[in-house]
């Protein structure tokens, strides 16, 4: 019996080594950057970091190699140069896809402008770029549902981040045949 178990384990190990490259090639590597547009100024909001964390959690748990450039706050005039720099870094790092994320914030009516509240976010838009072909694959925009002041919390922002990540992940899955070079 011990002989058959050893052979079974050896066969399993051999099969894993044989098919490991197939699993690794199943998903492209993804780089991203979040740019915060905020009329009230420069410091990166906690909401951005919470959404960034949700992106990492989603991609990593789905087996996607992910990297990012640090979030930045930028006015719309400098927006293009910020993403060009991040796209160049992703290209140098050998990333397959790059995701541009832009968070629009409006805290003019907020009861807690510095808080990690969903009501402080106007929208998040994203564009997914195939780095090798230097072309946009898809994009989208998420506008958070307004919450009651009682339920607006860090968890609401995190859930919103998971919604954004799920949309991006679903778009990648739909475009996977285009991205795979061996098909």
């Amino acid at each position: 019996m011990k002989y058959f178990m050893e052979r079974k384990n050896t066969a399993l190990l051999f099969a894993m080594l044989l098919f490991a490259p197939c699993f690794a090639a199943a998903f492209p590597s993804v780089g991203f950057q979040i740019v915060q547009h905020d009329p009230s100024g420069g410091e990166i909001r906690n909401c951005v970091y919470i959404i960034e964390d949700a992106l990492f959690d989603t991609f990593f748990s789905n087996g996607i190699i992910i990297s990012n450039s640090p979030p930045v706050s930028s006015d719309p005039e400098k927006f293009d140069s910020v993403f060009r720099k991040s796209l160049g870094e992703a290209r140098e790092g050998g990333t397959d896809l790059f995701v541009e994320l832009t968070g629009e914030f409006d805290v003019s009516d907020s009861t807690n402008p510095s808080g990690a509240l969903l009501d402080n976010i106007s929208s998040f838009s994203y564009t997914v770029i195939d780095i090798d072909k230097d072309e946009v694959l898809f994009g989208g925009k998420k506008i958070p549902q307004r919450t009651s002041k009682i339920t607006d919390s860090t968890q609401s922002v995190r859930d919103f981040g998971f919604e954004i990540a799920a949309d991006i992940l679903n778009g990648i899955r739909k475009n996977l045949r285009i991205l795979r070079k061996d098909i």
Side-chain angles (χ1 to χ4, degrees):
M1 184 66 156
K2 184 178 176 184
Y3 174 76
F4 288 111
M5 289 302 287
E6 287 175 6
R7 302 262 330 202
K8 192 178 200 181
N9 288 341
T10 303
L12 181 61
L13 179 63
F14 178 73
M16 287 174 49
L17 291 173
L18 181 66
F19 292 109
C22 296
F23 295 122
F27 285 107
S29 58
V30 177
F32 72 93
Q33 182 174 36
I34 299 175
V35 173
Q36 169 183 295
H37 285 174
D38 190 344
S40 64
E43 191 171 322
I44 302 298
R45 297 188 168 279
N46 286 335
C47 292
V48 170
Y49 294 116
I50 293 167
I51 290 172
E52 178 184 52
D53 189 51
L55 290 165
F56 273 118
D57 286 351
T58 300
F59 287 111
F60 184 74
S61 66
N62 282 282
I64 295 177
I65 298 169
I66 189 161
S67 63
N68 74 315
S69 295
V72 296
S73 181
S74 175
D75 58 12
E77 291 82 38
K78 296 179 184 175
F79 178 75
D80 196 39
S81 66
V82 168
F83 275 126
R84 269 184 238 245
K85 181 181 177 201
S86 297
L87 181 62
E89 290 171 357
R91 185 174 282 122
E92 287 173 14
T95 306
D96 299 313
L97 301 177
F98 183 71
V99 183
E100 299 176 348
L101 293 129
T102 306
E104 301 288 342
F105 290 82
D106 182 8
V107 296
S108 58
D109 294 334
S110 179
T111 57
N112 185 0
S114 61
L117 303 175
L118 198 57
D119 283 342
N120 290 344
I121 302 171
S122 299
S123 67
F124 253 82
S125 57
Y126 56 88
T127 303
V128 178
I129 300 166
D130 181 332
I131 291 180
D132 287 340
K133 296 178 183 176
D134 204 24
E135 67 182 34
V136 173
L137 294 175
F138 64 94
K141 183 176 185 176
K142 297 285 287 182
I143 298 172
Q145 293 182 350
R146 295 295 153 210
T147 62
S148 73
K149 299 298 178 198
I150 296 169
T151 61
D152 195 1
S153 66
T154 301
Q155 187 59 45
S156 300
V157 175
R158 188 164 172 76
D159 292 343
F160 181 62
F162 283 125
E163 290 175 18
I164 296 167
D167 285 356
I168 295 169
L169 185 62
N170 288 334
I172 291 172
R173 285 183 174 144
K174 287 178 185 175
N175 284 281
L176 197 56
R177 289 188 149 279
I178 297 168
L179 300 173
R180 296 224 21 222
K181 295 167 180 58
D182 58 335
I183 292 181

